Amino acid sequence: MRPMLMNHLKFFQALSLFAVSLLVGCSGGATDTPELSQVTGKITMDGAPLTKASITFQPVSGSSSVGMTDETGEYVLAYNRNTNGAVPGKHTVRISKRGEAGSPNDTEDQVPVQFNRDSKLTAEVKPGENTINFDLDSKAK
């Protein structure tokens, strides 16, 4: 190879190595995870389990935690992909469920807006283990 091309390749290799080291250095590690509390619960709507619904706990400050209900309406909150829990404190809670894929209402939220987009739901996550249930009324205003 010509010397000029070799210099360019070495430069790009060094630049790539530098970029990768920056990405690795900036990615959060285990020490970036705050103290968390375990949160589980059950969501019902009109007395029946709300299945395949997403739930989000958004704290006053910090990252939110999310969960998905199973066939019994039960959920477990996850702070990130590898860690369950939520930061202790007051949270705004949003619950959402889309219609079945391919159905006429597959893009509509099946949960009233006061429980998701315009949520009035709140929850206090205390240190330790928490069981926080929600019984939603589809006709509530």
Side-chain angles (χ1 to χ4, degrees):
M1 286 190 176
R2 296 186 303 196
M4 183 79 136
L5 183 57
M6 288 296 288
N7 286 341
H8 283 284
L9 284 175
K10 286 181 183 179
F11 172 76
F12 285 115
Q13 285 175 337
L15 185 61
S16 297
L17 183 60
F18 177 71
V20 168
S21 66
L22 274 179
L23 288 173
V24 170
C26 292
S27 67
T31 59
D32 291 344
T33 303
E35 202 60 38
L36 299 174
S37 297
Q38 298 306 304
V39 180
T40 60
K42 184 172 184 170
I43 304 171
T44 59
M45 187 156 59
D46 301 330
L50 189 62
T51 63
K52 298 180 185 175
S54 65
I55 183 166
T56 303
F57 275 52
Q58 178 62 56
V60 174
S61 65
S63 296
S64 59
S65 294
V66 297
M68 183 71 83
T69 59
D70 63 14
E71 63 279 349
T72 65
E74 294 182 9
Y75 70 91
V76 175
L77 286 185
Y79 183 75
N80 61 36
R81 187 179 313 180
N82 302 317
T83 310
N84 284 346
V87 295
K90 186 174 181 175
H91 293 253
T92 297
V93 178
R94 290 183 174 78
I95 300 170
S96 182
K97 177 182 176 168
R98 298 287 177 213
E100 293 296 319
S103 70
N105 62 355
D106 64 353
T107 59
E108 295 175 27
D109 203 318
Q110 306 301 299
V111 178
V113 296
Q114 67 267 24
F115 304 125
N116 54 56
R117 186 179 66 229
D118 299 331
S119 186
K120 308 290 187 260
L121 293 175
T122 61
E124 182 75 26
V125 175
K126 296 183 180 351
E129 294 190 17
N130 296 258
T131 300
I132 303 174
N133 299 321
F134 297 94
D135 187 19
L136 310 180
D137 180 353
S138 65
K139 294 165 185 44
K141 295 292 176 189

